[in-house]
Structure formats: structure tokens, C-alpha cells
Amino acid sequence: FKESHAVKSIMSGLKPAVIGLIASAVLSIGKTALGLDMLEFTINYTFIFSLVIFTLALFLVFKKKWHPIAVILVSAGMGIVAGYIPLT
């Protein structure tokens, strides 16, 4: 099936749809997680830390060619550690 023209066509059509669905989920969850509201935008330590983790994740995936699962695990670890650091 891998060499089938029909399968290749279907897969090339599905890729943009899947990317769009993942992007929509990321934006929705990110908006909730960061506490962003359309009417009010405040920069706090949580937002800055999340932005640093996100930037580091992009750097590791695109520049250092890390496997995405490894980046997810590292990001999760950083998030867990950040949850135990009191921000006062």
C-alpha cells in the first residue's frame, strides 16, 4: 500500500489537516494554561517560564534535531520542577 498512488494522495491531503488540528489544540490549551484572555494580557513569571520552555523546545527540535518525544519528556520534567518552585 505504501507505493499506491491513492494512499500517497490521501496522506498528502491529511497532513495539513492534522497539522491544523494539532495547532488548534495547542493554541486552545496554551491559552487556558497561560491564563491569556482576549481582554486582559498580563505578563507574569508563569508566562515567561512557559515561553522559555517553548523556545527551548523549538530550538532542540529544529536546530539540534532532538526527537520530539525526548523534547516532550524534558519539557514535562521542567514543568514539574517549576510547579514546586514558589514564585513570590
Side-chain angles (χ1 to χ4, degrees):
F1 291 109
K2 193 164 114 175
E3 301 299 323
S4 170
H5 177 69
V7 171
K8 286 182 181 180
S9 298
I10 290 170
M11 293 306 286
S12 68
L14 284 176
K15 284 180 185 177
V18 169
I19 290 171
L21 288 170
I22 291 171
S24 173
V26 166
L27 291 174
S28 175
I29 292 170
K31 182 179 170 184
T32 303
L34 296 175
L36 301 179
D37 191 357
M38 296 302 282
L39 300 176
E40 180 182 331
F41 181 77
T42 58
I43 296 179
N44 56 28
Y45 292 114
T46 305
F47 175 77
I48 293 171
F49 189 73
S50 298
L51 191 60
V52 168
I53 292 175
F54 176 74
T55 305
L56 178 64
L58 284 179
F59 175 77
L60 291 174
V61 168
F62 291 112
K63 295 293 183 185
K64 296 294 183 180
K65 304 296 183 195
W66 277 31
H67 195 279
I69 293 176
V71 174
I72 290 170
L73 293 174
V74 169
S75 299
M78 291 175 71
I80 291 169
V81 169
Y84 289 106
I85 298 172
L87 297 174
T88 55

